Amino acid sequence: MLHDLFTPSVQHALDLVGIFVFAISGALLAVRRNFDVFGMAVLAEITALGGGLLRDLVIGAVPPAAFTDLGYFSMPLVATALVFFLHPQVERIQNAVNVFDAAGLGLFCVTGTTKAYAYGLGLTSSVVLGLATAVGGGVLRDVLANEVPSLLRWDRDLYAVPALVGASIVALCIRFDALNALTSTLAVVTAFVLRLLAMRFHWRAPRAWNRRSAAEEGPEA
Amino acid sequence: MLHDLFTPSVQHALDLVGIFVFAISGALLAVRRNFDVFGMAVLAEITALGGGLLRDLVIGAVPPAAFTDLGYFSMPLVATALVFFLHPQVERIQNAVNVFDAAGLGLFCVTGTTKAYAYGLGLTSSVVLGLATAVGGGVLRDVLANEVPSLLRWDRDLYAVPALVGASIVALCIRFDALNALTSTLAVVTAFVLRLLAMRFHWRAPRAWNRRSAAEEGPEA
Amino acid sequence: MLHDLFTPSVQHALDLVGIFVFAISGALLAVRRNFDVFGMAVLAEITALGGGLLRDLVIGAVPPAAFTDLGYFSMPLVATALVFFLHPQVERIQNAVNVFDAAGLGLFCVTGTTKAYAYGLGLTSSVVLGLATAVGGGVLRDVLANEVPSLLRWDRDLYAVPALVGASIVALCIRFDALNALTSTLAVVTAFVLRLLAMRFHWRAPRAWNRRSAAEEGPEA
């Protein structure tokens, strides 16, 4: 079946790693926002599982995977416990966390695109859902924490673009009937490396031209 | 079929216009919030397609139309490009944009109500979903931009009421077996004109009576 | 059928009471945030029905109950009218409202868990959805009002824990084949009393250990 790119156990292990590192980023934000331990768990769960949940609702895969696999549900609780007890140490290895987060981003954009296509969506829609799988959890995390989603802010290093590239590679491979474990891995690695480069060199996307007028209030702002 | 009020091509063209103008409002808000070009595209897509997406999830029409029609998906990208390159010019014609937005509002409240009814919901629920189709994208836009939804603010001209009136006219027509291209157009135009009048004369809805106590903190605010 | 714990009419009456008090809390927040009467109605509806709506989307029960039962839809409008005309009086009986809200919390965590299990989810997932049913509406309310969800804040009395305990009791009863009207009532009452005690004695959950570093900005905050 198309969805099983890797052997099921490898796929599952990779999913759990991605979920875990996304959950760490949710729990860390919860600490920064001064939430209690339950707030940390909620934010960790939603950051880790929110993107896949959105995808599954859209493609009609109910109940979503997040609710049928106890492992998916448990990893964010482990991440919460870790951050709860070892918060300063986890903060200190923020760079390592960012590397894992980039790996999760690469992985989820590929599995998200593949799953959406397996459920009958077109290639473009599958790419959009792959992107949504990868970045949706982080957007929900920021919305719940009452912050402007870091995905949308111009002063953050590129995050959506690496995922978009990874998802597009998958779509191209499907289009030319070349999707297999090797090309999937290539797509994951491409997104992963692009994100690492974006962080290393602070790649950013441009803002609208001639924004000066934005500072003035429009007549019906 | 009930859902095809107009000929399919007319319906589709009107949908695309509505999506386009809603997307413009999303892209403009993204510029005001200083988002980068990808943030603009995300906000444009969600503003334009979010209301219909919510409706389709609720009525079980998965995958939602937003993911099966490439035209729906492309219009917000066109709107993003336009705002990206011509932001001051688009701001300057804000009044024209508002008129188109009112047209989108009128159109979506009618098609939303009709589609919900076609999927077997009751008349009242269909009206609610028609309203949600028309205003849901704007609410998601404001939530993502970390602003109080302008739909909820008392200091904005009436927005939900025109859509509610349009949706209710459709429900009444269905109830009395009089829904056709003519009455549908009438409902669209009514909502459209009401919104224009609300903007022209700054119609606003009342707030709760005796709000003074709201300024004081309750015991368990 | 498992879902009918109580006689249908008793169940329905209890649901309406829970919806009503949740709607009151939404309408009161709308007044504090200075929304107009339509904003009040929107916030009341979403607070009261949002949790069940999320649950129904996840378990695939579409259209959700909120859209098939006119009573569910009407109660928030009654609550809105009440708060609109009698806002100071309702504020003054905030303590009574809190008691009813605790009752709604207890009720919804039990019915949410039971309904999720009836739709085929596992016990753990059912508990999570029971919790989501009970607290989801309040989270959506706070997100729409552009506030940090009170569920997540450490300086609020325990809210999720009583619901989690109630949902877990239901899951244990299902596991040991002991779910009936009596044990369900017991679960409702336990969650209700725990929430009352949490408010009375200001029970709070701990925050992460050694948070001091949270005050300093991380290298890539």
Side-chain angles (χ1 to χ4, degrees), chain B residues 125-149:
Chain B
S125 301
S126 298
V127 168
V128 172
L129 281 173
L131 179 61
T133 307
V135 307
V139 169
L140 289 175
R141 174 196 66 204
D142 295 341
V143 165
L144 281 182
N146 202 17
E147 297 197 338
V148 173

Side-chain angles (χ1 to χ4, degrees), chain A residues 6-145:
Chain A
F6 310 101
T7 63
S9 58
V10 171
Q11 168 81 49
H12 196 245
L14 290 174
D15 271 359
L16 292 181
V17 171
I19 285 169
F20 183 75
V21 290
F22 277 11
I24 292 276
S25 87
L28 284 175
L29 179 60
V31 174
R32 284 197 203 105
R33 299 288 288 173
N34 213 9
F35 294 169
D36 66 22
V37 63
F38 295 103
M40 291 169 64
V42 169
L43 218 56
E45 292 281 357
I46 287 178
T47 308
L49 305 176
L53 188 58
L54 288 178
R55 176 203 58 209
D56 288 349
L57 289 180
V58 164
I59 63 179
V62 290
F67 286 94
T68 54
D69 186 317
L70 272 188
Y72 288 5
F73 176 74
S74 310
M75 292 310 282
L77 300 184
V78 176
T80 300
L82 199 75
V83 172
F84 184 83
F85 290 113
L86 299 173
H87 174 250
Q89 287 84 343
V90 178
E91 278 278 17
R92 212 171 297 140
I93 56 163
Q94 180 77 51
N95 283 336
V97 172
N98 282 338
V99 171
F100 278 104
D101 181 87
L105 185 77
L107 193 71
F108 284 169
C109 73
V110 171
T111 57
T113 305
T114 315
K115 183 167 184 184
Y117 185 76
Y119 272 77
L121 271 77
L123 284 177
T124 308
S125 301
S126 297
V127 168
V128 173
L129 281 174
L131 180 61
T133 306
V135 307
V139 170
L140 289 176
R141 173 197 67 204
D142 295 341
V143 165
L144 281 182

Side-chain angles (χ1 to χ4, degrees), chain B residues 15-17 19-20 23 45 70-80:
Chain B
D15 272 359
L16 292 181
V17 171
I19 285 169
F20 183 75
E45 292 282 357
L70 272 188
Y72 288 5
F73 175 75
S74 310
M75 292 310 282
L77 299 183
V78 177
T80 300

Side-chain angles (χ1 to χ4, degrees), chain B residues 57-60 119 121-122 124-125 128-129 139 143 146-149 151-156 158 160-161 164 204-214 216 218-221, chain C residues 31-40 42-43 53 57 62-64 66-70 73 83-89 91 94-95 98 143-146 156-157 195 199 202:
Chain B
L57 289 180
V58 164
I59 63 179
Y119 271 77
L121 271 77
T124 308
S125 301
V128 172
L129 281 173
V139 169
V143 165
N146 202 17
E147 297 197 338
V148 173
L151 179 77
L152 304 176
R153 295 176 57 165
W154 78 275
D155 55 349
R156 298 297 164 94
L158 285 187
V161 176
L164 196 58
R204 279 166 197 181
R207 285 172 290 169
W209 292 10
N210 303 310
R211 262 164 305 99
R212 190 131 41 104
S213 66
E216 306 152 24
E220 183 83 5
Chain C
V31 174
R32 285 197 202 105
R33 298 288 288 173
N34 214 9
F35 294 168
D36 67 21
V37 64
F38 294 104
M40 291 169 65
V42 169
L43 218 55
L53 188 58
L57 290 180
V62 290
F67 287 93
T68 55
D69 186 317
L70 272 188
F73 176 74
V83 171
F84 184 83
F85 290 114
L86 299 173
H87 174 250
Q89 287 84 342
E91 278 277 16
Q94 179 77 50
N95 283 336
N98 281 339
V143 166
L144 281 182
N146 202 18
R156 297 298 164 96
D157 306 327
R195 169 64 183 155
M199 287 194 289
H202 298 299

